[in-house]
Amino acid sequence: MNPPLQLSTEILELRTRHPFRISRKGPEPIRTVLVRIRDADGVEGVGEATPQLFYGETIESVHAALARYAAVLGHDPFDLEGIDTRMLLALTGNASARAAVSSALHDLVGKRLGVPVYRMWGLDPATIPLSTFTIGIDTPEVIRQKVREAAEYPILKIKLGSDNDLAILEAIRSETDRELRVDANCGWTVKQAVRMLPVLEQFGVTVLEQPLPAEDLDGLAVVTRHSRIPVFVDESCHVAADIPRLAGRVDGVNLKLAKCGSLREAIRLIHTARAHQLMVMVGCMVESSVSITAAAQVTPLVDFVDLDGAALLAEDPWTGATLAAGRLTLPTGPGLGLSPRGR
Ligand code: MG
């Protein structure tokens, strides 16, 4: 029998062009864990774990989880379902660590077959929706500057949920008439959200994401009922099993690999959402092209894309999917088609 698959890690230090702030957390630095999985023939796949303190993950917890997952990889990289199951039996939670393993395995399998992962799944990258570009919370002056710098992006995603929401919207509209989507990152109460709805409409906002805390599903239903703008959840939805209780309460879900824990679960989540008449967005954390390119593989299946995580970086250590003028282009190389920058 072949020797077991080998897993190794490396820390990536990422810096954003501007300090990136959302309603609950402060600035940088951002550290992620690059995962490499190598098979007996020396074929290697890569993935990236982006730990989220909000979900109890740190660099240390990712390393500890990866040590457990490395022990259950087995010998066969094509055993994707089996490895996902064994990882969950070894240790639940730790979604970003599992997502890194899943991405690395898909990369490896695609390389062995000589096809990109999206081709392996029969998906057409020509159908990928345009991606948003995110403007984090800041002073009106800095926000105006960020909007000018983001001139190439046709759709902006605005972070609200601070004390300055109105000033932020005014600053943005003083610069641009582009499409705006809003993410409040759990920052409002039901009362605040309902009060904000006509304001958002007046500013021409087209999507409202996670207005309320994650667990307030009844509150989300109230906001959705009052809203003419589609209401999406992000923090309230991690895996496919979360979908049934969201159905009828919101209009859509934001899927992220760092929350759902694997590419296979991402596809299950998309199909479950569809079966419950929910729209799907694919989103990301602030992370390198490794994670963005992995998430990008499922984008031909969704309605909205928000994969600007690597575009927010001052320097991206990898190259893969590119984002130009909001258009996401997938690499044509086998697996995830990634290369270290400069090589
Ligand atoms: Mg969000």
Side-chain angles (χ1 to χ4, degrees), residues 156-177:
L156 299 177
K157 177 161 165 174
I158 313 304
K159 295 291 192 177
L160 295 184
S162 73
D163 298 334
N164 252 352
D165 288 342
L166 199 58
I168 290 173
L169 284 165
E170 279 166 353
I172 287 165
R173 273 295 177 237
S174 73
E175 284 294 330
T176 184
D177 56 4

Side-chain angles (χ1 to χ4, degrees), residues 52-84:
Q52 298 301 304
L53 205 50
F54 186 65
Y55 301 127
E57 293 178 299
T58 60
I59 288 284
E60 292 72 27
S61 74
V62 165
H63 277 127
L66 288 170
R68 299 277 292 275
Y69 298 146
V72 299
L73 288 178
H75 307 259
D76 179 8
F78 284 82
D79 184 20
L80 296 163
E81 188 74 22
I83 295 171
D84 267 9

Side-chain angles (χ1 to χ4, degrees), residues 22 24 55 157 159 182-186 209-210 232-235 254 256 259 281 283-285 306:
I22 66 172
R24 67 172 161 266
Y55 301 127
K157 177 161 165 174
K159 295 291 192 177
V182 158
D183 187 354
N185 284 109
C186 311
E209 184 174 322
Q210 199 69 50
F232 275 64
V233 285
D234 175 353
E235 287 87 340
N254 186 349
K256 293 176 180 171
K259 291 185 297 172
M281 176 190 304
C284 61
M285 308 301 179
D306 176 30

Side-chain angles (χ1 to χ4, degrees), residues 197-198 201 205-206 223-231 251:
L197 288 172
E201 252 185 71
V205 170
T206 57
V223 177
T224 305
R225 222 170 27 242
H226 281 84
S227 182
R228 279 189 271 194
I229 302 167
V231 176
D251 300 300

